[in-house]
Amino acid sequence: MVRLIAIMVAGLIILSACTPAAPQLGRDGKPATKVYRIRNGDTGKLQFRMLDSVNALRNAQGIAPVTLNPQLNAAAATHSRDMATQNRPWHFGSDGSSPIDRVQRVGYTGQVVGENISESYEAELETLAAWIDQADTRRTIVSPNAADMGFAWFQESSGKIWWTLIMGNPSTSPLIPAANPSASRLVPVVISDETATSDDDETLVAAEG
């Protein structure tokens, strides 16, 4: 099933591509790296392209489609910019906020199903393909509990993009935000004199009702 989904994502990427042009060559004669630039007017186009692609993947597994939600879009945009400020791809804001905190701040009254994030130079559908390839982030995208989707990004001048996708369920009561000690931890927790480990957690953050 995962292989089938990967093939579908590859097909979506091909279908969404523009007419191919001859590759530009660098000074060394090799194909130059092309930076994926997002223009100001591309917001709606990219969001609905991601929505259509996500729903195609959900439909392939017999799961109901999700709807683009403006409040979740706003929460995703806020977190993408904040990750760029922190220069760190993780689920907690610079003020210690969690995904649950952020969706409540924008007035979303449902429950967070999951949040996917990415720091890359890749386009949105390439990012989706990477998320589908990982079990935890794939679980967010095809969750049967999700009914709403938010999707946004922040692109730096270098071309680096901070992507955020949030899935929510408007028909369930929101969870009460709880303090997150790891969000403010600045030093590793020492296990022994010889071994230390960091408490950072960049895995999927999901809340189930």
Side-chain angles (χ1 to χ4, degrees):
M1 178 60 73
V2 173
R3 181 177 177 83
L4 175 60
I5 293 176
I7 293 173
M8 288 186 60
V9 172
L12 290 170
I13 294 173
I14 294 171
L15 290 174
S16 66
C18 299
T19 303
Q24 296 182 345
L25 302 180
R27 293 181 180 179
D28 57 0
K30 297 180 179 179
T33 301
K34 185 176 181 180
V35 176
Y36 180 67
R37 291 288 180 184
I38 302 174
R39 297 171 296 183
N40 291 333
D42 288 346
T43 300
K45 179 176 68 177
L46 265 63
Q47 287 176 329
F48 281 102
R49 181 183 297 164
M50 177 63 79
L51 178 69
D52 290 343
S53 301
V54 165
N55 281 335
L57 294 168
R58 291 172 65 87
N59 181 66
Q61 295 199 35
I63 302 171
V66 292
T67 302
L68 201 62
N69 181 277
Q71 294 167 321
L72 294 184
N73 285 342
T78 296
H79 190 53
S80 291
R81 182 177 289 273
D82 191 55
M83 284 193 295
T85 299
Q86 298 183 75
N87 193 31
R88 183 179 191 178
W90 73 328
H91 294 281
F92 300 100
S94 53
D95 60 354
S97 60
S98 70
I100 298 171
D101 296 310
R102 289 191 295 273
V103 301
Q104 290 189 339
R105 287 174 182 174
V106 297
Y108 187 74
T109 57
Q111 188 175 101
V112 176
V113 173
E115 176 183 83
N116 290 352
I117 57 174
S118 179
E119 171 196 14
S120 75
Y121 291 86
E122 297 177 331
E124 67 282 352
L125 294 187
E126 292 174 300
T127 300
L128 176 60
W131 283 336
I132 286 294
D133 196 44
Q134 299 295 322
D136 54 355
T137 46
R138 180 173 64 249
R139 192 178 303 118
T140 298
I141 294 168
V142 297
S143 171
N145 295 326
D148 289 333
M149 186 187 92
F151 177 63
W153 56 88
F154 178 78
Q155 184 166 37
E156 298 180 1
S157 58
S158 65
K160 181 190 290 185
I161 309 172
W162 302 84
W163 301 101
T164 304
L165 180 145
I166 305 173
M167 290 292 195
N169 187 328
S171 62
T172 55
S173 299
L175 297 181
I176 299 174
N180 177 49
S182 66
S184 58
R185 190 178 299 281
L186 301 178
V187 295
V189 179
V190 176
I191 296 178
S192 67
D193 293 337
E194 299 179 353
T195 306
T197 182
S198 173
D199 198 42
D200 297 342
D201 183 7
E202 297 178 4
T203 59
L204 172 72
V205 172
E208 296 183 358

